[in-house]
């Protein structure tokens, strides 16, 4: 937990998601994000999240927002507008002058489950989503085909999900910082599950 007291002392922070459930605190550790053909990531790209704080920085147009879009997409986001697209093909690398468009996009979240925080008997959980230009798509948990419902149930009551507050996009930050108390109240009520 980050508090004013902790900020006074130099300390290392792990990239974790705090989850509270019946007075018991759980931490979910995101180990890796693997992407292929997702938006601007034409080549296979692997982002390793080591213990400590991970920050993604870069100039405008370098793909920073595509990383958070990718995580939300794997977690089951269905709204193309939320992913800054108009049609499902917008998720797949569209090509450049020097490169042909790809036929599909795939992304995987790799989570540490050594403490069995997720209701699945694996020390490492890999959640994958794939979409083809034909419109076919699929979800996988540890390379086993599954339904969107299975992915949503896996993360149920963890605070992780496409609507969870483990991922806060630019638009949500504007709502939180809004001068309108109704907007702020709506965000906090939604986060509290009211």
């Amino acid at each position: 937990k980050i508090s004013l007291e902790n900020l006074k002392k130099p300390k290392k922070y792990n990239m974790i998601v705090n989850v509270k459930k019946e007075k018991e605190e759980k931490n979910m550790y995101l180990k890796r994000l693997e992407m292929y053909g997702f938006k601007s990531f034409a080549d296979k790209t692997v982002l390793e999240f080591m213990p400590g704080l991970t920050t993604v920085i870069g100039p405008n147009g370098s793909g920073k927002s595509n990383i958070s879009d990718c995580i939300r997409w794997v977690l089951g986001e269905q709204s193309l507008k939320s992913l800054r697209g108009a049609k499902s093909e917008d998720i797949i690398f569209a090509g450049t002058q020097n490169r042909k468009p790809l036929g599909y996009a795939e992304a995987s979240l790799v989570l540490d489950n050594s403490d069995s925080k997720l209701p699945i008997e694996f020390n490492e959980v890999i959640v994958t989503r794939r979409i083809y230009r034909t419109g076919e798509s699929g979800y996988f948990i540890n390379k086993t085909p599954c339904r969107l419902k299975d992915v949503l149930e896996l993360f149920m009551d963890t605070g992780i999900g496409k609507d969870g507050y483990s991922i806060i996009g630019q638009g949500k930050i504007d709502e939180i910082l809004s001068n309108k108390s109704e907007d702020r109240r709506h965000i906090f009520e939604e986060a509290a599950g009211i």
Side-chain angles (χ1 to χ4, degrees):
K1 291 181 181 178
I2 298 175
S3 67
L4 292 175
E5 192 174 295
N6 289 339
L7 291 175
K8 292 177 186 174
K9 303 177 219 168
K11 201 170 192 179
K12 283 189 172 182
Y13 295 100
N14 290 333
M15 182 161 200
I16 55 175
V17 178
N18 288 323
V19 180
K20 290 191 178 185
K21 187 175 179 180
E22 300 175 10
K23 297 182 182 179
E24 176 187 322
E25 189 173 304
K26 293 186 174 186
N27 296 317
M28 190 80 50
Y29 176 61
L30 173 62
K31 293 173 70 173
R32 196 166 56 248
L33 173 63
E34 301 172 357
M35 301 171 280
Y36 173 76
F38 184 85
K39 290 190 171 190
S40 59
F41 296 96
D43 296 318
K44 182 170 183 176
T45 305
V46 177
L47 300 176
E48 296 276 345
F49 299 102
M50 301 297 180
L53 182 65
T54 301
T55 308
V56 180
I57 58 172
N60 291 344
S62 63
K64 299 178 303 292
S65 295
N66 290 347
I67 294 170
S68 61
D69 287 349
C70 185
I71 293 170
R72 278 199 322 275
W73 182 68
V74 173
L75 293 173
E77 179 63 67
Q78 299 297 302
S79 167
L80 292 170
K81 184 179 176 185
S82 294
L83 298 171
R84 300 173 305 119
K87 54 187 187 277
S88 59
E89 286 185 13
D90 294 343
I91 299 297
I92 305 168
F93 178 73
T96 65
Q97 271 184 312
N98 303 323
R99 215 158 167 178
K100 291 182 179 181
L102 296 177
Y104 74 98
E106 179 178 286
S108 299
L109 288 177
V110 181
L111 299 151
D112 181 285
N113 193 40
S114 56
D115 294 340
S116 301
K117 292 170 185 138
L118 293 173
I120 188 170
E121 294 182 19
F122 292 95
N123 287 333
E124 188 174 84
V125 177
I126 304 170
V127 179
T128 303
R129 185 171 180 184
R130 185 183 302 146
I131 187 167
Y132 294 91
R133 284 203 183 273
T134 61
E136 292 177 66
S137 66
Y139 292 89
F140 304 84
I141 297 175
N142 286 2
K143 300 183 181 179
T144 302
C146 65
R147 305 166 297 174
L148 169 59
K149 181 180 179 180
D150 299 321
V151 172
L152 297 177
E153 285 177 0
L154 178 67
F155 293 110
M156 194 176 290
D157 296 329
T158 64
I160 296 176
K162 65 182 183 72
D163 295 325
Y165 289 90
S166 49
I167 305 168
I168 301 175
Q170 294 168 338
K172 290 286 185 190
I173 292 171
D174 289 342
E175 285 181 45
I176 292 169
L177 298 176
S178 170
N179 287 332
K180 295 180 183 177
S181 60
E182 304 88 47
D183 290 346
R184 285 193 311 271
R185 180 179 179 174
H186 175 73
I187 291 290
F188 291 116
E189 285 178 351
E190 198 174 322
I194 299 174

